[in-house]
Amino acid sequence: MVIYKLAGTALLVGSGLGSAFLLNRSMSACLSQVEGFLGLLRQIRVKVECFALPISPILAADPALLRQCGYEEQTPPKSLGALLNGCRIRDGETERLLSGFAAGFGRGYREEQLRQCEYYAARLEQRRQELLSVMPAKKRRNATLCVSGALAAVILLL
């Protein structure tokens, strides 16, 4: 009977540790995705400024950057809207910013597009800094709550 209690205890503690690990990995993936979109906005700005390229060749140029943004499909997207539809954006504020960028990009002259790229890149950089500043505290909180919850369940069941 003691073996079953020990096995149950190990399972509960393992589930608490696993939950903390998954939550922290999800937070890191969210930050990586924001950095990917920030790099994409910077690349779009450079390509529009130097070469006056439309958006579809810009998006097709770097599949690794698209994967960092969370785009998993094999064919490159034809528009920013298709890119956002193909990504599972993990942060609501980032999604709101990118939706605003996708809605307005390509509707004006080159200078307007460059200003729009600069504005949204600056806003995404701010969001990245916010995520970086709160991430250590949130990771500690996730680990503490998950492991404490698992240990509380063990205590209650024993």
Side-chain angles (χ1 to χ4, degrees), residues 63-76:
L65 187 58
L66 294 180
R67 277 194 302 280
Q68 187 179 1
C69 294
Y71 189 77
E72 297 295 331
E73 297 180 21
Q74 296 297 325
T75 59

Side-chain angles (χ1 to χ4, degrees), residues 116-129:
Q116 190 177 15
C117 286
E118 290 171 1
Y119 172 76
Y120 282 103
R123 296 287 306 269
L124 272 179
E125 180 62 35
Q126 287 175 348
R127 184 64 188 151
R128 180 182 162 276
Q129 291 300 325

Side-chain angles (χ1 to χ4, degrees), residues 15-83:
S15 69
L17 290 172
S19 297
F21 174 76
L22 289 176
L23 284 171
N24 290 341
R25 189 173 73 176
S26 174
M27 288 182 61
S28 297
C30 177
L31 179 64
S32 176
Q33 188 177 42
V34 169
E35 290 172 347
F37 277 115
L38 186 60
L40 179 66
L41 286 180
R42 289 177 179 155
Q43 182 182 27
I44 289 171
R45 185 191 182 290
V46 167
K47 299 279 177 140
V48 167
E49 183 178 27
C50 295
F51 306 112
L53 287 176
I55 195 65
S56 57
I58 296 172
L59 293 176
D62 194 358
L65 187 58
L66 294 180
R67 277 194 302 280
Q68 187 179 1
C69 294
Y71 189 77
E72 297 295 331
E73 297 180 21
Q74 296 297 325
T75 59
K78 300 289 184 209
S79 67
L80 288 171
L83 172 67

